[in-house]
């Protein structure tokens, strides 16, 4: 028996109602609280005394399969590409073959000019594999549901296809539809007494194709959800250098255990979580904070797996491995955030549990009613089959893929973005837009924002000295200074002091560049004429300040900062004009966040926020009744992007962020998000106004229906 949380991998689910049914089964167990995520095909169970075997048995009793999850691994082929998903391949093949067979059937059934002498038998030949093999996933799911006393949309689809195909077989072999020269025409009204002369093969074929298209789109959506999780796994280190009795051993990361000591060289990823026990360095922790400036660490500092050691040599004691690491926690956050995004689909599946039995009862009632009224057996059966066929969700199967196709294409054209399947549903209602700072509102690239030379020192002289000594460092701040100065002289006897600064000999002079406090305390160099106060002001504005000295004399201070994108202020103004409230959400400090917010016109700022905090913020806003759009680009934004009503990733962002979002703004321009939000409203309103252009059918036209027609209405 176990205590705490248990996670299960679930297989066999075909719709959200399957997840709901498994949840109900699990929650009937004593002391169990379970949630089932259809998108990720996982169940999470909480309780004080849980038996995994009992959980698996309960899931299997509902008609599905369950197993304890294997350790997460990066699933890729030898060349680094993601392996092909067999489910997607199978669905795509089934869809393409079924569509190729169904198109001729539809054309022959709808266009009398194409109906040659024995066309109906060719239609039967083409439809048979579609109705049987193509619709097999729906038939199989319906059978499983029936065995457990349940009904879903799969049930209705299967019954509708079988009814249409079965009636067509009856009409061809025992009715009058199989005679040479039989034709069908398009009419508004049909004659029920001639039902035995009609076939519905195109209904069976097209319903199957449309619903297969929807199932394929759904499978791709689920795959995109797993892509976000896979992208997170790929961030981790593949191997580690373990130190045992002074000897170094390179081993796979999954072989690390708590208590191991690992060596991390400059440029390498930290393999797992733990404290630094030797060395000092700057660590790129943008995965957690989203900020481009590395964090200075030393003995006693805690570091996290998948972050990058930017400069010095570190020795780390491993205290967390596997599912206990921060990376694994972020993965779980994103998994939880992906639960329940398809609101319309959930509603459809809940309704289907009632709708399907009602339709079947109505079909039986139609049959019995016609028999009581004195109708023939053929007429009664025709009415019953027509009830099933009409209720089959043809329009849903056609409208959903078509709307997604058209909407996605439009999004690419007017917003230079790629839309996910829930975008058209969610975009219009957004009233709060949450913006990440670095890489979203700002460029995410460190540049020199201010240069303050000391008295008697020129700007170029200050930059040249700083760049010469900083050219030996890989720190983002150093690269920004080197990029600003040109040309750059070579420094001799370069030495780096991780977390503090650098020093070197430039043209025979000792040049030191680093934190103002380090120059003051370590080198006894103070700014002249109040320059130190200028450095403090620059730091308060969110900039990183580098003080520079030459042979003990203060040369000045250089400010390096992330810069606001040129269009960010205009984008925020447009959000406000659309009635949306903008919130800046960042892991950066309060001063830097307020400085950026003031430049672009954002009033509400939430700083120092962790990835879990970003997710909590989105959920709190949703609980308050807001429809929330989240815009971000980093791994730390992934869970919030997945949980938001509309997740928007910037095109230059991480794979994890892009995979977790609904829209990817390819250009990375925040102003494009202003365009997407505005045009979504235009599309919704103008589409609704089109209803004013529809007119009722004049009564005179209704009288033109041919009462002797041999064809039912084809709608």
């Amino acid at each position: 028996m176990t205590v705490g949380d248990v996670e299960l991998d679930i297989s066999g689910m075909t719709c959200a109602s399957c997840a709901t049914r498994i949840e109900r089964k699990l929650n009937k167990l004593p002391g169990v609280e379970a949630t089932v995520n259809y998108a990720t095909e996982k169940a999470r169970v909480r309780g004080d005394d849980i038996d995994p075997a009992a959980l698996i048995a309960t899931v299997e009793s509902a008609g599905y399969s369950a197993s304890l999850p294997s350790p997460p691994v990066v699933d890729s082929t030898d060349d680094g590409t993601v392996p092909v998903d067999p489910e997607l391949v199978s669905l795509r093949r089934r869809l393409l073959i079924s569509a190729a067979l169904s198109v001729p059937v539809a054309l022959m059934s709808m266009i009398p000019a194409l109906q040659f002498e024995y066309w109906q038998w060719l239609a039967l030949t083409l439809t048979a594999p579609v109705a049987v093999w193509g619709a097999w996933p729906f038939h199989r799911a319906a059978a499983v549901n029936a065995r457990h006393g349940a009904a879903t949309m799969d049930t209705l689809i299967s019954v509708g296809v079988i009814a249409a195909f079965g009636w067509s077989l009856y009409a061809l072999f025992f009715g009058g539809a199989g005679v040479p020269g039989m034709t069908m025409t398009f009419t508004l009204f049909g004659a029920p007494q001639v039902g035995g002369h009609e076939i519905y093969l195109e209904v069976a074929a097209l319903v199957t194709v449309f619903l297969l298209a929807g199932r394929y789109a759904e499978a791709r959506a689920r795959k995109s959800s797993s892509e976000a999780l896979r992208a997170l796994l790929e961030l981790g280190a593949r191997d580690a250098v373990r130190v045992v009795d002074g000897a170094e051993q390179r081993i796979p990361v999954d072989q690390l255990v708590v208590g191991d000591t690992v060596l991390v060289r400059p440029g390498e990823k930290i393999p797992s979580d733990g404290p630094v026990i030797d060395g000092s360095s700057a660590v790129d922790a943008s995965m957690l904070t989203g900020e481009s400036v590395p964090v200075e660490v030393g003995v006693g500092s805690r570091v996290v797996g998948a972050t990058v050691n930017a400069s010095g040599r570190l020795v780390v004691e491993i205290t967390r491995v596997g599912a206990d690491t921060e990376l694994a926690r972020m993965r779980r956050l994103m998994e939880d955030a992906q639960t329940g995004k398809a609101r319309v689909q959930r509603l459809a599946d809940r309704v289907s549990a009632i709708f399907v039995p009602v339709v079947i009862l109505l079909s039986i009632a139609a049959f019995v009613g016609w028999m009581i009224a004195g109708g023939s057996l053929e007429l009664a059966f025709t009415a019953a089959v027509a009830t099933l066929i009409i209720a089959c969700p043809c329009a849903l199967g056609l409208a959903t893929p078509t709307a997604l196709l058209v909407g996605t294409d439009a999004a690419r054209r007017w917003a230079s973005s790629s839309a996910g399947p829930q975008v058209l549903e969610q975009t219009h209602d957004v009233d709060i837009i949450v913006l990440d700072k670095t890489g979203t509102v700002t460029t995410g690239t460190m540049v020199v924002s201010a240069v303050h030379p000391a008295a008697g020192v020129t700007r170029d002289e200050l930059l040249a000295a700083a760049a010469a000594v900083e050219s030996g460092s890989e720190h983002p701040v150093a690269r920004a200074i080197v990029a600003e100065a040109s040309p750059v002289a070579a420094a001799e006897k370069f030495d780096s002091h991780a977390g503090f600064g650098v020093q070197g000999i430039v043209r025979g002079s000792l040049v030191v560049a680093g934190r103002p406090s380090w120059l003051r305390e370590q080198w006894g160099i103070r700014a002249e004429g109040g320059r130190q106060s200028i450095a403090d002001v620059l730091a308060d504005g969110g900039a990183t300040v580098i003080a520079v000295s030459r042979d003990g004399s203060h040369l000045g201070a250089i400010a390096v900062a992330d810069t606001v994108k040129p269009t960010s202020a205009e984008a925020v103004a447009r959000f406000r004009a659309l009635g949306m409230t903008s919130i800046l959400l960042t892991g950066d400090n309060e001063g830097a966040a307020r400085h950026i917010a003031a430049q672009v016109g954002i009033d509400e700022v939430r700083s120092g926020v962790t990835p879990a905090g970003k997710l909590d913020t989105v959920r709190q806003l949703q609980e308050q009744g807001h429809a929330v759009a989240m815009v971000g680009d980093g791994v730390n934004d992934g869970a919030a992007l997945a949980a938001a009503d509309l997740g928007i990733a910037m095109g230059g962002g991480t794979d994890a962020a892009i995979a977790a979002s609904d829209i990817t703004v390819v250009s990375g321009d925040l102003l494009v998000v202003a365009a997407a939000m505005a045009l979504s409203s235009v599309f919704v309103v103008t589409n609704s106004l089109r209803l004013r252009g529809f007119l009722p059918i004049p009564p005179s036209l209704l009288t033109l229906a041919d009462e002797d027609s041999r064809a039912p209405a084809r709608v």
Side-chain angles (χ1 to χ4, degrees), residues 232 235 269 282-295 304-310 327 330 436 438-439 444 476 479 586-588 609-611 614 633-638 654 656-657:
L232 272 181
L235 290 174
K269 289 183 178 180
V283 173
D284 179 359
S286 57
M287 180 193 78
L288 295 176
T289 64
E291 304 310 311
S292 53
V293 179
V295 178
V304 174
T307 57
V308 180
N309 180 14
L327 185 63
M330 291 179 66
D436 172 51
T438 306
R479 291 198 295 268
T586 177
D588 207 350
V609 184
T610 64
K614 290 189 175 185
D633 73 319
V635 176
N636 61 322
D637 302 318
T654 61

Side-chain angles (χ1 to χ4, degrees), residues 390 396 438 567 656:
I390 291 171
L396 179 62
T438 306
T567 57

Side-chain angles (χ1 to χ4, degrees), residues 239-602:
D239 50 31
V241 177
R242 181 168 59 189
V243 180
V244 180
D245 297 329
E248 298 179 6
Q249 303 173 344
R250 187 165 291 276
I251 61 171
V253 167
D254 56 11
Q255 293 183 15
L256 286 175
V257 297
V258 173
D260 278 347
T261 299
V262 296
L263 172 65
V264 188
R265 295 184 173 87
E268 293 181 342
K269 289 183 178 180
I270 295 172
S272 197
D273 303 0
V276 176
I277 59 176
D278 186 35
S280 60
S281 180
V283 173
D284 179 359
S286 57
M287 180 193 78
L288 295 176
T289 64
E291 304 310 311
S292 53
V293 179
V295 178
E296 307 296 341
V297 299
V299 175
S301 301
R302 297 196 65 84
V303 292
V304 174
T307 57
V308 180
N309 180 14
S311 53
R313 176 182 180 276
L314 294 176
V315 179
V316 180
E317 180 184 352
I318 301 301
T319 57
R320 292 180 181 175
V321 295
D324 296 328
T325 63
E326 187 68 19
L327 185 63
R329 191 177 72 87
M330 291 179 66
R331 181 178 183 271
R332 288 194 297 272
L333 280 176
M334 191 173 294
E335 257 186 15
D336 293 342
Q338 288 172 341
T339 302
K341 293 196 69 177
R343 294 175 292 177
V344 168
Q345 184 62 49
R346 290 204 316 273
L347 176 61
D349 284 308
R350 286 199 301 268
V351 170
S352 70
I354 303 172
F355 179 63
V356 174
V358 168
V359 168
I360 294 175
L361 289 175
L362 288 175
S363 178
I364 296 173
F367 178 84
V368 173
W370 276 106
M371 292 296 294
I372 293 175
S376 65
L377 177 64
E378 182 180 87
L379 178 59
F381 193 61
T382 301
V385 171
T387 302
L388 288 173
I389 293 173
I390 291 171
C392 194
C394 313
L396 179 62
L398 173 63
T400 302
T402 303
L404 294 179
L405 177 64
V406 174
T408 300
D409 181 64
R412 286 195 182 98
R413 285 186 282 107
W414 51 252
S416 298
S417 62
S418 175
Q422 293 82 24
V423 173
L424 300 181
E425 174 192 356
Q426 298 161 348
T427 304
H428 178 60
D429 297 328
V430 169
D431 61 341
I432 286 185
I433 185 160
V434 178
L435 304 170
D436 172 51
K437 180 178 75 69
T438 306
T440 302
V441 175
T442 68
T443 63
T445 302
M446 303 296 288
V447 297
V448 172
S449 58
V451 179
H452 291 275
V457 179
T458 66
R459 182 182 187 277
D460 290 344
E461 184 182 0
L462 172 59
L463 281 173
V469 72
E470 292 282 13
S471 62
S473 173
E474 292 298 321
H475 197 286
V477 171
R479 291 198 295 268
I481 293 175
V482 172
E484 185 71 13
S486 180
V488 177
E492 301 174 359
K493 297 183 179 179
F494 171 82
D495 193 12
S496 175
H497 303 268
F500 299 100
V502 294
Q503 67 182 74
I505 304 298
V506 181
R507 295 192 176 96
S509 297
L510 175 62
V511 176
V512 179
R515 293 183 178 182
S517 59
W518 181 59
L519 267 71
R520 182 175 60 253
E521 296 167 4
Q522 183 70 23
W523 299 89
I525 300 171
R526 295 182 177 274
E528 300 174 356
R531 293 296 180 182
Q532 186 62 46
S533 62
I534 291 176
D536 292 338
V537 170
L538 293 173
D540 291 340
T544 298
V545 181
I546 300 297
V548 184
S549 71
R550 183 173 58 200
D551 290 336
S553 299
H554 179 68
L555 291 182
I558 301 173
V560 176
D562 193 1
T563 56
V564 172
K565 291 180 179 178
T567 57
S568 292
E570 183 181 355
V572 171
R574 292 195 183 185
F575 294 150
R576 187 179 295 110
L578 291 171
M580 289 185 285
T581 300
S582 298
I583 298 176
L584 189 66
L585 191 64
T586 177
D588 207 350
N589 62 71
E590 179 77 9
R594 290 286 177 188
H595 180 71
I596 295 297
Q599 292 184 61
V600 298
I602 297 177

